[in-house]
Amino acid sequence: MSIMVTRIEDHETRLREIDRVVEWIRETVQNAHQNGVVVGLSGGIDSAVVANLVKRAFPEDSIGVILPVKSSTKDSIDARAVAEKCGLHWIEMDLSVSHELIFDDIKIKLDRDLNGRARMTDANLRARLRMSTLYGVANSLGYLVAGTDNAAEVLTGYFTKYGDGGVDFLPIANLTKREVYEWAKVLGVPQQVIDRAPSAGLWEGQTDEAELGVKYNDIDDYLEGKDISEAAKARIEHLYNVTAHKRVMPPKPPVEAEE
């Protein structure tokens, strides 16, 4: 019986937390004198949670945008499932041709095959094309763009600068990855999305943890002040340090001091 009571209390606590963030989203949009919210739907759990939040905040003035770029068909299928489950209006725009034209032109103009930089150039271009498209939609509707980065991603800089990191507000940036999963269950995110291995979908077989070189559980424990292995701690702090530039405004020269 005590376990059941604990579960009910946890559920109610999560609902209160969700309601608080939903109200914050409304205030953020209203303070910006905008009309609603657009969110990119990747088929992953983070965008699924944000989709549910923005739908609750603006039932009639929110939209999800699915933006495949040579992506797995499963990504689009799961993204549609998320939108349909929470009743979010959605559109889909395939950016594969646009990406190929730009990426090929870069290689032609530079007269090189980019060697070891090709994969990351390709992946970051995808993220930036998606964000440019989201802002095209947002500007057309007078909406703000909701980001989908969680606390673990913000800490490690696991986002593309001016790609998925270039947004108007970050509704789940205070949530650890495991809290994202907890919210997803309360919000009723489709099980197929909850069961997916976290991935940015940057290339075939890509997973977040493989690219980060550390488990989300270790990052979450670090954020919560729990003990983790020295190797995991060193990796997290390395990622934090090398991605510091992503979390600040672009630098400018110092003003010359008056004598």
Side-chain angles (χ1 to χ4, degrees), residues 88-102:
L88 180 69
H89 176 60
W90 60 272
I91 58 175
E92 184 165 348
M93 303 169 65
D94 195 316
L95 303 180
S96 299
V97 173
S98 299
H99 171 273
E100 187 171 358
L101 287 170
I102 296 172

Side-chain angles (χ1 to χ4, degrees), residues 92-236:
E92 184 165 348
M93 303 169 65
D94 195 316
L95 303 180
S96 299
V97 173
S98 299
H99 171 273
E100 187 171 358
L101 287 170
I102 296 172
F103 190 50
D104 286 349
D105 207 28
I106 290 171
K107 290 186 287 186
I108 291 169
K109 293 302 191 314
L110 293 178
D111 191 24
R112 62 176 65 185
D113 60 11
L114 305 186
N115 298 319
R117 295 181 178 273
R119 172 175 276 188
M120 193 53 64
T121 302
D122 180 326
N124 284 339
L125 179 59
R126 294 181 192 213
R128 289 169 180 142
L129 275 175
R130 285 173 172 142
M131 192 50 63
S132 293
T133 305
L134 288 179
Y135 270 98
V137 172
N139 292 162
S140 300
L141 298 171
Y143 286 5
L144 292 186
V145 176
T148 62
D149 293 326
N150 58 58
E153 291 168 335
V154 173
L155 175 70
T156 58
Y158 191 61
F159 54 86
T160 298
K161 195 173 185 179
Y162 306 122
D164 52 315
V167 295
D168 291 314
F169 64 97
L170 291 166
I172 62 171
N174 292 328
L175 301 184
T176 63
K177 191 69 171 183
R178 53 176 157 253
E179 287 174 324
V180 172
Y181 279 97
E182 291 170 6
W183 281 36
K185 292 172 183 175
V186 173
L187 289 164
V189 168
Q191 193 64 41
Q192 68 205 61
V193 175
I194 293 175
D195 291 341
R196 285 178 56 138
S199 171
L202 300 176
W203 53 78
E204 186 66 29
Q206 185 264 347
T207 65
D208 292 355
E209 291 182 334
E211 195 177 1
L212 284 165
V214 65
K215 299 290 186 183
Y216 272 120
N217 274 337
D218 285 328
I219 302 172
D220 288 352
D221 285 346
Y222 182 92
L223 284 164
E224 293 172 359
K226 297 177 181 177
D227 290 332
I228 59 174
S229 71
E230 285 302 315
K233 180 180 178 182
R235 178 60 181 168
I236 292 166

Side-chain angles (χ1 to χ4, degrees), residues 39-44 47-48 50-52 63-68 75-76 78-80 82-84 88-91 134 148:
V39 58
L41 300 177
S42 67
S47 68
V50 175
N52 277 267
I63 185 171
V65 185
I66 304 169
L67 297 166
D75 293 346
S76 292
D78 289 348
R80 291 183 210 119
V82 167
E84 289 166 4
L88 180 69
H89 176 60
W90 60 272
I91 58 175
L134 288 179
T148 62

